[in-house]
DNA sequence: CGACATTCAATTGCGAACAATTAAATGTGA
DNA sequence: TCACATTTAATTGTTCGCAATTGAATGTCG
């Protein structure tokens, strides 16, 4: 029996889209690193700040749903952001189970300092905006199909 | 001064391809989890096994270049694979600095048990192979452009 | 040959990411 | 009302991922 050609072998690393996505995520992280170092943020912390810059004073749970992260990841991350004086964590008075995350003045102010980050990433991508938007939409659609499978 | 429309705001989370890639990587991870649990592998361990199933008895460094990972990540990971009797780690006799990674018989045998994994992922992707291949090639090209920027 | 730089793996420390569990607050139905 | 389930964050433990450092082996150049 002939062995499958490696260019078609589904078990071959370079034929797997998951590895493309996995390695691209790490490449993004490495490009972000020096940009975010100047803001003293890690990449996941930056994502949380992006959420909060859109809408402030939201429950931890909402941030988690937006970023697909749970409290096990977010609780310590938010404590670090609080230690850095970027957010405030307070129990909701209407529902004591919830923790509301609000930006501090420094947290708000950081948005301006972060304004150049997306352009730097765009430059590093070395790609037109329209191409990136098209790719982004395809990847998001794939992600949503994968997430749909997880919930059976 | 009018604020930019949110659909064009480069600082908006949902407009960023990096978040698409980041969240897709996690979605893949969650789909892989139950499949790899049956093999007692984590996803990064599975990637290492994919490399070794292609070519055996390779230096740790080569695995790292293939997966874009360094010894700080790979050394403990490979020790776990060795503890699971899937690989053997030996110092190269020609160059004592290198550690050669070889599959054990169990490590080789696992390839067959893992053969159904790519099909399951394909099914979860709910997408034609040709579309996936096209996306994969675009993502790999983007990743390579990003990595090119990192080395200045 | 011998000083020096380079290469490579291992180690340490920190920050994710997630499963599993715990505990408290809230909701629901008999 | 009261028993019970559900929701929510926090906690614990394991594994990645990477920066920075260490130490040993090898390469290079005077």
């Amino acid at each position: 029996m002939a062995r499958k050609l490696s260019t078609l072998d589904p078990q071959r690393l370079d034929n797997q889209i998951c590895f493309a996505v996995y390695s691209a995520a790490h490449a993004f992280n490495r490009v972000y690193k020096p940009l975010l170092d100047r803001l003293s943020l890690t990449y996941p912390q930056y994502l949380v700040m992006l959420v909060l810059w859109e809408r402030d004073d939201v429950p931890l749970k909402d941030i988690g749903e937006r970023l697909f992260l749970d409290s096990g990841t977010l609780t310590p991350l938010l404590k670090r952001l609080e230690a850095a004086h970027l957010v405030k964590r307070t129990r909701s008075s209407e529902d004591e189970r919830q923790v509301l995350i609000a930006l501090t003045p420094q947290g708000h102010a950081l948005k301006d300092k972060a304004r150049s980050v997306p352009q730097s990433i765009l430059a590093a991508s070395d790609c037109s905006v329209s191409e990136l938007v098209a790719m982004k939409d395809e990847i998001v659609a794939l992600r949503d199909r994968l997430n749909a499978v997880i919930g059976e």
Side-chain angles (χ1 to χ4, degrees), chain A:
Chain A
M1 190 176 94
R3 214 172 140 278
K4 252 180 202 165
L5 286 175
S6 67
T7 52
L8 294 175
D9 185 349
Q11 242 178 339
R12 194 175 164 82
L13 179 70
D14 290 336
N15 291 340
Q16 310 221 8
I17 191 171
C18 62
F19 176 62
V21 171
Y22 168 89
S23 54
H26 291 311
F28 266 119
N29 208 2
R30 285 189 283 270
V31 173
Y32 269 104
K33 184 77 170 52
L35 303 171
L36 296 182
D37 276 351
R38 294 187 298 162
L39 308 175
S40 297
L41 291 176
T42 65
Y43 180 67
Q45 288 169 6
Y46 173 67
L47 291 180
V48 169
M49 294 304 286
L50 285 176
V51 170
L52 293 173
W53 288 330
E54 288 180 21
R55 192 155 59 87
D56 205 353
D57 217 30
V58 292
L60 181 149
K61 186 182 188 302
D62 289 15
I63 299 175
E65 283 173 359
R66 196 77 193 283
L67 300 179
F68 307 99
L69 296 173
D70 66 6
S71 69
T73 300
L74 287 175
T75 296
L77 188 156
L78 288 165
K79 284 184 177 176
R80 281 177 215 114
L81 288 180
E82 187 171 48
H85 308 295
L86 296 174
V87 307
K88 222 173 13 184
R89 301 160 59 246
T90 51
R91 288 277 165 184
S92 164
S93 50
E94 302 100 63
D95 185 344
E96 292 281 346
R97 291 171 301 183
Q98 293 191 338
V99 168
L100 298 178
I101 312 299
L103 289 170
T104 63
Q106 294 104 304
H108 277 292
L110 200 64
K111 183 173 184 179
D112 257 352
K113 294 187 204 151
R115 215 170 284 279
S116 64
V117 171
Q119 319 169 17
S120 301
I121 295 298
L122 177 62
S125 301
D126 191 23
C127 189
S128 76
V129 173
S130 61
E131 283 177 295
L132 283 179
V133 168
M135 278 186 70
K136 184 208 64 170
D137 289 342
E138 284 184 84
I139 296 167
V140 164
L142 173 61
R143 175 199 74 196
D144 291 344
R145 290 196 300 272
L146 290 171
N147 278 333
V149 170
I150 294 164
E152 262 73 19

